[in-house]
Amino acid sequence: MGYNLSKKGLDISPSVTLEITAKAKEMRAKGIDVISFGAGEPDFNTPENIRKEAIRAIEEGLTRYTPASGIMELKKAVCDKFKRDNNLEYEPENIVISNGAKHSIFNALMAILNPGDEVIIGVPYWVSYPELVKIAGGNPVYINTVEENEFKFTVKDLERVKTNNTKAIILNSPSNPTGSIYSREELEEIAKWAVENKVFVISDEIYEKLVYDDEHVSIASLNDAIKNLTIVINGMSKAYSMTGWRIGFLAANKEIAKVISNIQSHTTSNPCSISQYASVVGLNEDQSAVEEMRKQFKKRRDYMVEVINSIDGLSCRKPKGAFYIMVNIKELKGKVIKGVKINSSLDLAKVLLDEGKVAVIPGIGFGDDDYFRLSYATSMENIEEGLRRIKIVIES
Ligand SMILES: Cc1ncc(COP(=O)(O)O)c(C=O)c1O
């Protein structure tokens, strides 16, 4: 129509993954039995004590505006969580509660970026990072990582892309989509570099509870200098299976937290009051539901890694955290499967959907066309059947 729309808005890329998920949905609506490996959320119900507390909050009328940056009870529970899990000392003034971790990341970027500031992002990345940086007026700068180094970047990489405009790096450990975890030693080197170069670190730790082999270390816990430059992002979505409740939180130096709180007060105001009260219980009470979920994920991961590596043309490493596996498809590129020449991850995803009735997320959505991503946030039954179908199509 030729509307004169905002450059900012027009610069936002539509999600590449949407095409596949929309098609899978359409097929399902037609009654076709599609198995999806696309889920970005745990398939478990929110623990009962959290659900009950939400009902109590509604019944007792805790349904009004709260302070814009969150209720004091939840900020205190978040401080206790950081102390208990990450050995990090914060006070409620360091904490901002938002509408999901994505919103926390957005607020953090809005608080630190000026036009033209650069934010370093490792590839493959979580789909929203580049777009969030752009909306906040910054420029994403990419580091291509390799599978041999578990898709992790190093200080050498940071040195290579550093400019006078480098303002922040986004660190995501455990990672979506790779499941990689940065070790304490790797984080120490990155922290030293960030402090020397006065670069902020946005540390997205939303998958911290879903680690299977290594320990999770928060970069902010290494020393005070890096703590002051780090905005730690976390939330209820993945650990407590609360994706729809929309509670994320961040911890930052008080000066930064204040600016973030001001931004939030004029945009969304407080996150849902009911979800906030329920989250207090989630953080403070028995954590056995989280551990039970972690065990289930580990079992699924181990099974999937074994089966994927037994399929001709596919391979993967054992991811250490989150609930995703990046499957290497390099061997299949250029080959013909079911009459379709596979030139890209999207080509393969389409063949798997059309011929196998299996939805996978093409790696191009995460910036790396040599892979597709499988999520194991689905039942063991679905996993077994889905992998069986993938094998049949690919080995056909
Ligand atoms: C790496 C990463 N960060 C943040 C989020 C957003 O979490 P939330 O639902 O709390 O906004 C996700 C969700 O998929 C994620 O994968």
Side-chain angles (χ1 to χ4, degrees):
M1 264 286 285
Y3 291 116
N4 186 14
L5 300 182
S6 81
K7 192 174 165 320
K8 235 182 209 164
L10 294 172
D11 266 357
I12 305 304
S13 318
S15 167
V16 196
T17 62
L18 224 60
E19 189 180 339
I20 291 291
T21 41
K23 192 162 177 207
K25 236 183 221 162
E26 206 178 281
M27 288 166 73
R28 229 181 258 130
K30 282 187 193 150
I32 302 169
D33 145 51
V34 175
I35 291 192
S36 176
F37 283 109
E41 57 186 345
D43 53 316
F44 303 96
N45 200 356
T46 304
E48 190 182 8
N49 58 340
I50 300 176
R51 302 198 309 262
K52 283 204 164 137
E53 179 63 7
I55 293 166
R56 186 193 71 85
I58 294 172
E59 300 287 358
E60 295 190 6
L62 300 168
T63 50
R64 307 192 174 246
Y65 289 135
T66 76
S69 59
I71 56 173
M72 188 49 81
E73 295 91 320
L74 183 51
K75 289 187 182 180
K76 283 188 177 153
V78 167
C79 289
D80 292 345
K81 172 250 160 320
F82 277 123
K83 179 73 194 134
R84 186 172 65 232
D85 296 342
N86 312 106
N87 197 26
L88 273 167
E89 299 270 1
Y90 287 115
E91 293 171 11
E93 295 75 26
N94 295 106
I95 309 296
V96 179
I97 316 291
S98 300
N99 300 280
K102 186 185 284 186
H103 186 215
S104 302
I105 299 166
F106 175 65
N107 281 338
L109 291 166
M110 287 297 280
I112 62 172
L113 294 185
N114 285 309
D117 282 349
E118 294 174 356
V119 179
I120 299 175
I121 298 171
V123 183
Y125 45 72
W126 177 48
V127 283
S128 290
Y129 293 143
E131 310 311 316
L132 287 168
V133 168
K134 287 193 255 170
I135 300 173
N139 295 330
V141 169
Y142 302 102
I143 292 176
N144 286 311
T145 65
V146 292
E147 194 178 350
E148 292 69 30
N149 193 38
E150 296 178 31
F151 301 103
K152 293 187 274 193
F153 57 73
T154 64
V155 165
K156 242 192 214 161
D157 296 317
L158 292 169
E159 268 302 301
R160 199 164 33 79
V161 299
K162 171 178 96 176
T163 73
N164 290 336
N165 295 325
T166 304
K167 190 64 165 280
I169 58 184
I170 297 183
L171 198 64
N172 179 209
S173 177
S175 153
N176 173 9
T178 67
S180 301
I181 295 179
Y182 283 81
S183 69
R184 182 177 291 274
E185 294 71 35
E186 287 163 339
L187 291 173
E188 272 165 359
E189 288 192 12
I190 293 170
K192 188 161 166 274
W193 182 90
V195 170
E196 275 168 12
N197 291 284
K198 291 201 178 61
V199 168
F200 288 109
V201 177
I202 295 182
S203 182
D204 180 352
E205 304 179 14
I206 190 81
Y207 292 99
E208 91 162 300
K209 297 283 180 189
L210 301 177
V211 300
Y212 312 112
D213 305 315
D214 285 11
E215 58 159 354
H216 167 79
V217 177
S218 175
I219 190 167
S221 69
L222 297 177
N223 58 62
D224 278 346
I226 190 64
K227 184 181 174 197
N228 275 321
L229 281 173
T230 302
I231 303 175
V232 183
I233 308 285
N234 211 319
M236 305 303 290
S237 300
K238 315 287 175 170
Y240 300 91
S241 212
M242 288 176 69
T243 46
W245 299 64
R246 308 314 297 137
I247 296 292
F249 46 81
L250 63 76
N253 173 295
K254 288 181 186 171
E255 196 182 322
I256 304 172
K258 182 72 193 136
V259 174
I260 292 173
S261 162
N262 291 343
I263 291 170
Q264 179 158 302
S265 77
H266 289 293
T267 48
T268 60
S269 301
N270 63 274
C272 172
S273 61
I274 302 152
S275 301
Q276 288 191 68
Y277 284 99
S279 297
V280 174
V281 163
L283 290 175
N284 285 347
E285 290 188 359
D286 179 27
Q287 302 292 302
S288 55
V290 181
E291 179 53 17
E292 188 45 44
M293 186 166 71
R294 194 192 68 84
K295 275 193 198 145
Q296 296 290 331
F297 278 135
K298 184 171 191 290
K299 219 185 268 173
R300 296 172 187 176
R301 174 201 67 163
D302 292 346
Y303 173 79
M304 281 180 72
V305 168
E306 199 178 315
V307 176
I308 290 162
N309 282 307
S310 76
I311 299 175
D312 275 352
L314 297 183
S315 69
C316 70
R317 294 185 167 240
K318 198 179 251 189
K320 293 180 170 156
F323 41 70
Y324 308 103
I325 299 178
M326 284 296 261
V327 180
N328 187 320
I329 60 163
K330 284 180 196 168
E331 267 188 48
L332 297 178
K333 281 198 158 169
K335 298 226 162 101
V336 175
I337 298 177
K338 298 277 186 193
V340 178
K341 181 141 190 236
I342 306 300
N343 289 320
S344 68
S345 57
L346 192 56
D347 289 343
L348 186 58
K350 280 182 184 161
V351 172
L352 287 172
L353 187 56
D354 290 338
E355 302 292 334
K357 314 286 178 275
V358 186
V360 307
I361 308 292
I364 190 67
F366 316 106
D368 196 333
D369 204 29
D370 288 336
Y371 297 85
F372 62 72
R373 189 194 75 178
L374 297 182
S375 157
Y376 43 96
T378 185
S379 69
M380 201 63 179
E381 200 183 349
N382 277 344
I383 290 172
E384 285 172 11
E385 174 59 16
L387 290 179
R388 193 185 67 81
R389 294 183 190 183
I390 290 177
K391 186 177 165 76
I392 290 172
V393 173
I394 288 183
E395 293 184 353
S396 67

